[in-house]
Amino acid sequence: MNASFEYDSPEREQPDLEGVEKIDALNEISSRIVSKRPDKSLILANEALKLSQDSEYSRGHIESLINLAQCYKQLGKPEDSLPLLIQALQKSRETGDVEKESVLLNKIALLYKLTGDYASSADYYFRALKATEETGDEELMGKILNNLANLYCSWDKFDKAEEYHLKLLSIREKNGPSEELAHTFNNLGNLYYKLKQHEKSLDFNQRALEIKNIYGDKQSIANTLSNIARNHLQLFFEKGNEKHLEKAKDSLAEVLKVRRDSKNIQGLATTYIDLAKLHFAMKETKGALENLEKSMKIASEGSMKTILLDVYREFAETHEKCGDYENALKYNKLYSILKNEIFSEESNLRAVELHAKYEKEKIEKQNEIMRLKIEANEKLESLVEQRTHELKMEIERRIKSEDEILKFKTLTDEAAYGAAISDSSGKIIYVNKSLENMTGWSAEELLGRNLTVLQPSDSEFSTDKIISVLTLSHSAFTSEITAVRKDGTIFPALINPGLIRDTQGNILYLQSSVIDITERKKMEAQLRQNQKMLAIGTMASGIAHDFNNILGSISTFAESAKKELPENSAAQPMVENILVTISKAKEFVKEILLFSRDREKELKPVNISQLVEETAELLTKSLPEKIKANIEIEKTRCKVLSDPSHINQMLLNLFENAKFAMRGKGGTISVKLKEDGPDKILMSISDTGEGMDKSTLDRIFEPYFTTKKEGEGSGIGLAIVHGLVKKSNGEITVYSEPGRGTVFNIYFNTLSRVKFPDTKKTTLPMTGTERILFVDDEALFAETIEEILKRLGYRIKAVNRAEEALFVFSDDPEGFDLLIADYTMPGISGPELALKIREIRPDIPVLFCSGLLNAEKEDSVQSIPRARVITKPVPVNDLAAAIRSILDDK
């Protein structure tokens, strides 16, 4: 062949050669230009491959395949390279070329590593190592050992990485000092640095430096010095010995000089980060920040994103250690943004730790954990099914008699899932340890019995039915069943049966794999419950604003009607009851929100006898004619630590439960309250209804458990009662029998006795003469508030749209002393309107009204000077007090 032939450009004609020489020439040119022109190299390699196949030229065929694989790798398609190299490997084995085989095994292992298949990569490296031991090629053996060590480092298997680095070291030390030996020392130093064994790491870095001072270039020496400096810094942090600081300082000074002289921009950026760490260790914060600024400038100008990521992290940690949390948060945010840009699937956990988490996020994270656990279980089931299939195939090959069953036993005795083998009639001939533990039966107790002993008597599964299904489908299947333990308790399980046949296809045995899925079922139920609770919270938040607006209008109308009625009017008590009911409705909305968000409410001393009496009398008015009420309240001045709305809601839910128990038949609801010893108060609610059996009693406090038909109730009422009793540090017990009614006893701890006034003091609402601009999108509510505030002496202009309010204010900015605005309105919201009005007149105070007040709204209002927020429905006295408070707060 013509060895001087060149192919430097696509335009140049190919050589006019024939046969073997042409194939060798094409392969030589293809391999020479692959790094610069992989597209052209691919054409030449394909042509060489075709010619070698036609001429049956084995060596040329192998080289063509290798060149093609190299082309695809260069083009970023390692997955297309693998099949070609495997073909070349098979061909080299056919020709008996062991040297070529070892080279190809090494290349294939490297490609598997690039595709992320570390297990296959390791397998091929071991095969390459074995082939190289036969050829005695120490240079290639060194490369393979180095590749193996690097693979295990990437795989986070550092003990294996250490083993193969040390094997490589023993080979290279035999040949004396060399650049390759220095490289091995460096690799070991880097490995021990990852393992935080800094003294070992320092030792190997220094041994590498000794060799590099003889053989290496300045850049290589600088890299090793940089590693030495980092080890000295870590040893200072561990031991506090300042000699390590001085050595780190000397090493970094030399590294900085080399990288400045060579204009190694990337190296300079990392050196400044190391210098920043050094300065911080020396308690020179200013110097640390200056070096980080230099590194950030270089990395930004050079678009070195990974280095910039390190800079942001160091900035954040330095500021945090100095107590500058504002800048720490700033750089954490920059770090998070850049990290998400580089690694789209990663999140910045540090930034999340510096922000408060809302309860909704907590529930969603719990759901995600549950989902991942369920997925893990499903994967386990899939693996079990796969393993079962593999075992079945193994059994079909190996089991021909009872003796073969004993051999199979070793495959399943220690398995995590249950396994059983029975003959075609269902008689059990083998069970593993896991099935014994799962069912409570010992192997001796199960052997010889029918498989049906593991299932309830009414189970539809039978050996004949399973064999029939398997015979018709010609494949194994997985089914969820109810299994039974020796003690009679049942549990959910997955069964995966399969048939074992002899070589003639006759059925010998039925083998079954069993998984206890009790925990999975519990997790699924908990996930469903969390999802229901999240849905309740979402629904409650969505309707609370509108519902409180409606309550606000009703409350305002009722208070206006009360003022218009004479004091001795028969309608006065009715209006009072309307106002009391509105107040309780408002508290119930709050309780639903609190329960759905799992937030604690502040507890306070409560006069329970007065509260229970008032609430019980109010609730009895809603009872149907067939149900009578018996109220026995012992007058006590003891306080309990609770919340009035908690007590109200307990009574409401227990009343509703009792009414349902006596539906259609009638009966008596009794509410009793008395002191139970020196430090307890007992509140008892009983009914003469249908009662409950033990199985129902065991579950009544479970959320969403109900005996009611669809549409009659959600099953959450008693769960709420149980939760509220616990929040009040109380205890609840229940006694019931079918046909004999139900009694709920709630025990509260008492506080010290305190005298309570028998009557409430009434105060007149505060008045004023200031000018108010009022805006609310509920026209009827706006008109009513306008009328009430006029009666209190205020001059008020009420409008229904934020745009109209802005127009009215712009026309006369000095004509108003206060803006009252609904927080949530169509188009422009209350806060947005306030900001626009403040642009015209910055000093005007603002009072917001909101149907639903949460932390986000409170934070939003706090950011606006001289602004406050109140929750609808708001009584006239409270509204008047809020107006005076914000107007008088100069």
Side-chain angles (χ1 to χ4, degrees):
M1 102 179 235
N2 187 353
S4 64
F5 178 78
E6 297 289 341
Y7 194 98
D8 296 329
S9 69
E11 291 79 15
R12 189 166 181 174
E13 291 185 359
Q14 296 180 21
D16 186 15
L17 300 173
E18 295 296 335
V20 171
E21 290 186 335
K22 183 170 184 177
I23 294 169
D24 288 343
L26 289 169
N27 278 328
E28 181 184 349
I29 299 166
S30 175
S31 63
R32 192 185 306 161
I33 68 172
V34 67
S35 59
K36 295 181 180 179
R37 292 295 305 276
D39 52 342
K40 189 62 184 176
S41 177
L42 187 66
I43 296 172
L44 297 176
N46 267 316
E47 186 176 348
L49 180 64
K50 185 177 183 305
L51 290 172
S52 63
Q53 287 174 329
D54 292 343
S55 63
E56 298 184 358
Y57 176 32
S58 297
R59 187 169 67 83
H61 192 176
I62 294 169
E63 292 299 330
S64 302
L65 289 168
I66 294 173
N67 286 340
L68 275 174
Q70 190 66 20
C71 290
Y72 284 122
K73 180 184 172 186
Q74 198 72 21
L75 291 168
K77 300 178 179 180
E79 67 279 0
D80 292 337
S81 297
L82 272 171
L84 296 166
L85 288 178
I86 290 171
Q87 285 185 48
L89 177 65
Q90 292 171 344
K91 197 73 177 175
S92 64
R93 283 175 178 167
E94 292 173 5
T95 60
D97 191 340
V98 181
E99 289 185 6
K100 182 65 71 177
E101 181 182 344
S102 59
V103 171
L104 283 167
L105 286 166
N106 186 48
K107 288 179 179 291
I108 292 170
L110 181 59
L111 278 175
Y112 271 119
K113 181 185 176 184
L114 290 176
T115 60
D117 187 350
Y118 292 159
S120 296
S121 178
D123 177 52
Y124 275 93
Y125 275 135
F126 287 131
R127 292 160 68 180
L129 199 59
K130 185 176 180 181
T132 310
E133 287 172 354
E134 294 180 16
T135 62
D137 188 342
E138 280 197 359
E139 183 179 350
L140 182 56
M141 184 181 295
K143 287 181 182 178
I144 295 169
L145 287 170
N146 188 61
N147 289 344
L148 256 175
N150 290 337
L151 171 69
Y152 281 119
C153 272
S154 302
W155 205 351
D156 292 338
K157 294 188 176 183
F158 298 115
D159 53 339
K160 285 288 186 182
E162 180 185 23
E163 176 187 343
Y164 288 102
H165 274 313
L166 291 174
K167 282 185 178 180
L168 177 60
L169 181 64
S170 65
I171 293 173
R172 289 185 170 168
E173 279 185 324
K174 292 177 184 177
N175 299 324
S178 65
E179 288 187 39
E180 290 78 11
L181 180 60
H183 182 69
T184 305
F185 282 144
N186 255 344
N187 284 343
L188 277 164
N190 293 338
L191 174 64
Y192 288 125
Y193 187 86
K194 285 182 182 178
L195 295 172
K196 297 184 179 179
Q197 299 178 23
H198 299 297
E199 288 187 345
K200 271 190 175 183
S201 177
L202 181 62
D203 177 54
F204 280 107
N205 285 147
Q206 287 173 336
R207 290 165 74 180
L209 183 63
E210 292 173 4
I211 298 174
K212 287 189 176 183
N213 281 330
I214 301 172
Y215 296 101
D217 56 24
K218 289 185 177 180
Q219 286 299 327
S220 178
I221 292 170
N223 292 339
T224 303
L225 282 169
S226 180
N227 292 338
I228 289 172
R230 290 172 186 168
N231 276 305
H232 277 303
L233 270 177
Q234 292 300 325
L235 287 169
F236 167 74
F237 290 134
E238 290 175 7
K239 301 184 177 182
N241 191 334
E242 293 193 358
K243 75 175 184 181
H244 289 296
L245 277 184
E246 291 301 320
K247 290 183 178 181
K249 185 177 180 182
D250 293 342
S251 297
L252 287 176
E254 194 171 341
V255 172
L256 187 64
K257 182 178 182 304
V258 170
R259 288 177 174 172
R260 275 178 176 168
D261 292 345
S262 63
K263 297 180 180 180
N264 182 349
I265 304 301
Q266 185 171 344
L268 266 177
T270 56
T271 305
Y272 282 128
I273 294 176
D274 292 335
L275 282 168
K277 293 178 181 177
L278 174 67
H279 280 286
F280 189 80
M282 297 169 70
K283 299 183 179 179
E284 297 175 1
T285 306
K286 183 179 178 183
L289 294 174
E290 286 175 354
N291 279 291
L292 286 176
E293 290 283 356
K294 291 176 183 177
S295 181
M296 184 167 66
K297 182 180 178 183
I298 294 172
S300 298
E301 290 174 353
S303 297
M304 305 171 190
K305 291 185 178 180
T306 53
I307 294 177
L308 197 57
L309 198 66
D310 291 338
V311 173
Y312 288 154
R313 186 184 62 243
E314 291 298 329
F315 259 129
E317 290 179 0
T318 302
H319 282 301
E320 185 178 357
K321 289 173 184 175
C322 295
D324 186 354
Y325 297 110
E326 182 178 355
N327 273 318
L329 183 58
K330 167 188 167 184
Y331 283 104
N332 259 312
K333 286 180 179 178
L334 290 172
Y335 176 83
S336 180
I337 291 169
L338 184 59
K339 189 173 182 180
N340 285 332
E341 182 182 334
I342 299 173
F343 310 106
S344 60
E345 293 182 356
E346 293 185 10
S347 59
N348 188 350
L349 296 179
R350 184 60 182 159
V352 173
E353 289 172 358
L354 295 174
H355 288 287
K357 299 181 179 76
Y358 289 99
E359 293 299 325
K360 181 177 178 182
E361 292 175 345
K362 178 182 174 183
I363 292 175
E364 290 173 344
K365 287 184 179 179
Q366 288 174 343
N367 288 345
E368 181 62 12
I369 290 169
M370 288 297 169
R371 186 184 64 77
L372 291 174
K373 286 182 177 179
I374 291 170
E375 285 183 358
N377 271 337
E378 289 174 347
K379 287 180 180 177
L380 173 62
E381 292 162 16
S382 175
L383 289 172
V384 168
E385 187 174 348
Q386 179 184 346
R387 180 59 178 154
T388 301
H389 177 70
E390 292 170 357
L391 291 175
K392 178 193 167 191
M393 299 302 292
E394 178 70 14
I395 293 166
E396 287 179 346
R397 288 193 299 269
R398 297 175 56 191
I399 298 183
K400 297 178 182 178
S401 66
E402 294 270 344
D403 293 337
E404 291 297 323
I405 292 292
L406 297 176
K407 297 177 184 178
F408 167 72
K409 180 176 181 294
T410 60
L411 298 174
T412 58
D413 260 349
E414 303 303 322
Y417 53 88
I421 296 179
S422 62
D423 61 21
S424 57
S425 67
K427 185 175 72 174
I428 299 172
I429 59 175
Y430 165 74
V431 294
N432 71 348
K433 292 291 185 184
S434 292
L435 193 65
E436 291 181 62
N437 296 334
M438 190 185 301
T439 63
W441 295 92
S442 67
E444 291 75 13
E445 291 171 316
L446 288 174
L447 294 178
R449 303 185 70 173
N450 197 280
L451 271 176
T452 54
V453 72
L454 301 176
Q455 296 175 269
S457 57
D458 59 349
S459 173
E460 296 180 359
F461 274 87
S462 66
T463 305
D464 291 341
K465 188 170 183 179
I466 292 173
I467 292 175
S468 176
V469 172
L470 289 171
T471 304
L472 290 173
S473 62
H474 300 288
S475 63
F477 66 89
T478 301
S479 181
E480 185 174 326
I481 64 167
T482 298
V484 63
R485 297 185 177 92
K486 180 181 178 181
D487 61 7
T489 58
I490 60 174
F491 64 96
L494 285 181
I495 183 170
N496 180 240
L499 295 177
I500 304 170
R501 301 174 185 269
D502 60 18
T503 53
Q504 285 76 39
N506 300 312
I507 297 174
L508 292 175
Y509 307 106
L510 172 66
Q511 65 86 20
S512 304
S513 300
V514 184
I515 305 174
D516 183 348
I517 57 172
T518 303
E519 289 303 317
R520 170 186 160 184
K521 288 291 185 181
K522 288 180 180 177
M523 286 187 288
E524 288 175 345
Q526 189 175 348
L527 178 60
R528 286 194 296 272
Q529 179 183 337
N530 280 348
Q531 289 170 338
K532 287 180 182 178
M533 294 306 299
L534 188 58
I536 288 174
T538 303
M539 177 189 70
S541 297
I543 68 172
H545 175 266
D546 291 338
F547 187 62
N548 277 340
N549 274 341
I550 295 168
L551 289 178
S553 297
I554 297 172
S555 175
T556 306
F557 300 150
E559 290 199 23
S560 298
K562 181 181 176 183
K563 294 182 185 298
E564 293 293 332
L565 292 169
E567 289 188 7
N568 58 355
S569 171
Q572 276 282 6
M574 300 179 189
V575 175
E576 286 288 350
N577 282 337
I578 291 172
L579 291 172
V580 170
T581 305
I582 290 169
S583 176
K584 294 187 184 303
K586 180 181 177 181
E587 288 300 319
F588 290 160
V589 171
K590 288 182 180 178
E591 283 302 326
I592 291 172
L593 291 172
L594 285 169
F595 181 77
S596 66
R597 297 174 186 172
D598 197 25
R599 294 181 180 173
E600 292 295 333
K601 192 170 183 178
E602 183 179 357
L603 304 181
K604 57 187 178 182
V606 175
N607 182 359
I608 190 168
S609 63
Q610 180 181 333
L611 179 62
V612 171
E613 185 175 20
E614 291 174 355
T615 306
E617 287 177 355
L618 184 62
L619 290 172
T620 55
K621 295 177 182 179
S622 66
L623 292 175
E625 291 182 0
K626 290 184 178 181
I627 299 178
K628 306 301 179 184
N630 177 29
I631 312 296
E632 297 178 22
I633 306 297
E634 180 180 304
K635 297 295 183 181
T636 175
R637 297 301 184 191
C638 289
K639 282 183 176 182
V640 300
L641 190 62
S642 185
D643 183 88
S645 62
H646 287 176
I647 307 296
N648 289 337
Q649 194 162 2
M650 291 177 207
L651 283 168
L652 173 64
N653 284 322
L654 292 174
F655 251 72
E656 291 300 319
N657 195 66
K659 283 165 60 178
F660 182 83
M662 296 184 289
R663 64 193 183 282
K665 296 180 181 179
T668 302
I669 296 178
S670 297
V671 178
K672 299 179 182 180
L673 184 80
K674 65 177 182 178
E675 293 186 26
D676 186 47
D679 57 356
K680 295 281 185 183
I681 287 183
L682 169 62
M683 182 172 73
S684 177
I685 299 90
S686 62
D687 63 70
T688 58
E690 59 191 16
M692 294 175 280
D693 58 22
K694 187 179 184 303
S695 62
T696 304
L697 273 175
D698 290 340
R699 300 188 61 191
I700 57 171
F701 294 124
E702 292 181 14
Y704 306 108
F705 171 74
T706 180
T707 58
K708 300 174 183 178
K709 297 178 182 178
E710 187 173 354
E712 291 182 340
S714 64
I716 198 172
L718 291 178
I720 291 176
V721 171
H722 186 270
L724 294 177
V725 170
K726 292 299 181 184
K727 287 179 181 179
S728 299
N729 297 313
E731 295 292 333
I732 183 170
T733 63
V734 58
Y735 173 79
S736 184
E737 288 183 17
R740 302 188 64 178
T742 303
V743 181
F744 287 90
N745 291 324
I746 301 174
Y747 298 88
F748 296 98
N749 296 316
T750 61
L751 302 177
S752 57
R753 296 173 180 271
V754 177
K755 290 185 179 180
F756 289 88
D758 291 329
T759 57
K760 296 182 179 178
K761 293 182 180 180
T762 58
T763 57
L764 295 174
M766 299 179 180
T767 61
T769 59
E770 286 85 352
R771 298 155 300 177
I772 298 174
L773 176 58
F774 184 87
V775 55
D776 194 294
D777 58 309
E778 293 286 341
L780 195 56
F781 181 68
E783 290 173 10
T784 309
I785 292 294
E786 181 180 24
E787 182 62 28
I788 289 172
L789 293 182
K790 281 181 179 179
R791 291 182 183 180
L792 294 178
Y794 293 104
R795 289 168 287 167
I796 181 168
K797 172 66 175 176
V799 296
N800 304 124
R801 294 190 306 111
E803 293 83 358
E804 184 181 354
L806 187 59
F807 176 78
V808 170
F809 189 85
S810 301
D811 194 45
D812 185 15
E814 300 300 325
F816 298 97
D817 300 301
L818 173 67
L819 168 66
I820 303 178
D822 188 14
Y823 192 96
T824 305
M825 294 184 290
I828 302 174
S829 69
E832 290 171 340
L833 173 63
L835 292 175
K836 290 179 182 293
I837 283 180
R838 285 281 177 86
E839 290 176 2
I840 302 170
R841 185 176 154 199
D843 64 332
I844 188 166
V846 182
L847 181 63
F848 296 109
C849 298
S850 175
L852 176 62
L853 186 60
N854 54 30
E856 183 181 354
K857 289 182 179 179
E858 288 179 335
D859 292 342
S860 173
V861 172
Q862 285 177 4
S863 66
I864 305 174
R866 288 198 74 193
R868 298 182 188 175
V869 60
I870 56 177
T871 310
K872 298 177 185 177
V874 57
V876 172
N877 285 1
D878 293 349
L879 176 61
I883 291 173
R884 282 265 46 98
S885 174
I886 196 167
L887 285 172
D888 295 340
D889 183 13
K890 304 296 184 184

